[in-house]
Amino acid sequence: MVKRSRRFLSILQELDKNLLYSPNEAFLLLKKLSSVNFIETLEAHIALGLDPKYADQQLRSTVILPKGSGKFVKVAVITQGDKINTAIAAGADLVGSEDLIEEIFKGRLDFDKLIATPDMMLLIAKLGRFLGPRGLMPSPKSGTVTNELRSSISEFKAGKLEYKVDRTGIVHVPIGKLNFPIDDLSLNLKALQESVDKNRPSGSKGKYWKSLYLSSTMGPGVPVDLNILKI
């Protein structure tokens, strides 16, 4: 049994378990209940009618949060030739070629996103066992294997996030900081909802959205009315 703190138990008493909240009501409630001395991240937890053990029910995509994530994203780029200068000019925090591959192979992982140009992927293959478990391995589907370095770097810096369904059929995505205005959080959530709908896997049958909970780093999960979300 999970032992809850007195603070968390008192917060739970404010939550009506029989209610489904509108997104804005959930945002307001989580803001009201926050009592920690740091700015919490607000997360969306979406239970989908997917069984990801089947190839045609896997969901992995990206979304650009229109109001950003509120997090500084350190972007590393592996490329060669003239594209090294392109990546530096575009604002990448860490840029290299085979030298950076060797540094990562030796344990360097001080970045949040790794972008690579296609011509480097054969050399990067040996990094899979280091990067894969951390969700850092570049892939075309996530937009991190590309020759369009300038736009890719700026998008990830501005709030582009990669998301995928976990083995239980749930997508967990941070959609901003709890101190964001309600309207900004609402726009980010709407962008996520539209992305999840747009990228519905071909093997998805029946009810796609099962439930949505919004939570903060140290707060409870607040159940959201899906009918209001999709208006």
Side-chain angles (χ1 to χ4, degrees):
M1 184 177 175
V2 178
K3 189 173 181 180
R4 301 292 193 184
S5 68
R6 191 175 301 165
R7 181 195 68 83
F8 194 86
L9 291 173
S10 67
I11 285 173
L12 283 180
Q13 291 175 358
E14 299 266 349
L15 189 65
D16 188 335
K17 292 182 180 178
N18 298 314
L19 267 185
L20 287 175
Y21 294 79
S22 73
N24 284 2
E25 287 170 342
F27 296 145
L28 285 167
L29 183 61
L30 289 166
K31 282 173 174 282
K32 175 188 170 188
L33 297 177
S34 180
S35 60
V36 293
N37 59 1
F38 65 92
I39 299 171
E40 297 178 75
T41 296
L42 200 138
E43 299 173 346
H45 307 276
I46 308 164
L48 297 169
L50 297 175
D51 186 346
K53 72 182 179 190
Y54 298 107
D56 64 354
Q57 292 191 43
Q58 293 175 4
L59 172 65
R60 181 177 182 178
S61 191
T62 58
V63 59
I64 298 176
L65 299 177
K67 296 300 180 179
S69 66
K71 177 187 175 186
F72 172 78
V73 179
K74 188 171 183 179
V75 174
V77 176
I78 295 175
T79 188
Q80 60 185 350
D82 293 343
K83 287 193 169 66
I84 287 178
N85 289 330
T86 300
I88 293 170
D93 303 283
L94 194 59
V95 182
S97 191
E98 292 182 48
D99 55 335
L100 182 51
I101 292 173
E102 285 306 311
E103 285 184 45
I104 294 171
F105 190 74
K106 291 174 182 175
R108 182 170 190 177
L109 292 165
D110 59 335
F111 49 86
D112 303 301
K113 191 64 60 178
L114 178 61
I115 298 170
T117 46
D119 55 357
M120 301 301 292
M121 287 309 292
L122 277 177
L123 295 172
I124 290 173
K126 69 177 184 179
L127 301 178
R129 63 193 175 102
F130 302 103
L131 300 175
R134 296 171 173 83
L136 291 170
M137 189 67 180
S139 76
K141 198 162 187 179
S142 66
T144 48
V145 177
T146 179
N147 282 314
E148 302 299 323
L149 291 179
R150 196 178 300 278
S151 59
S152 185
I153 291 166
S154 63
E155 284 174 355
F156 280 112
K157 285 278 190 184
K160 183 177 183 178
L161 297 177
E162 182 182 356
Y163 64 87
K164 64 178 180 179
V165 68
D166 70 12
R167 66 182 67 180
T168 64
I170 299 174
V171 172
H172 310 272
V173 186
I175 59 168
K177 295 292 185 179
L178 201 54
N179 65 343
F180 279 21
I182 296 287
D183 286 349
D184 288 3
L185 291 170
S186 184
L187 283 170
N188 282 353
L189 178 60
K190 192 68 180 172
L192 174 61
Q193 176 238 313
E194 290 173 352
S195 176
V196 170
D197 283 342
K198 178 184 174 184
N199 292 288
R200 181 173 183 164
S202 60
S204 170
K205 301 289 188 289
K207 191 174 184 181
Y208 185 41
W209 285 67
K210 293 167 69 177
S211 68
L212 165 63
Y213 283 78
L214 294 174
S215 69
S216 55
T217 308
M218 303 295 288
V222 180
V224 172
D225 189 329
L226 295 176
N227 292 322
I228 297 176
L229 171 69
K230 298 196 174 191
I231 290 174

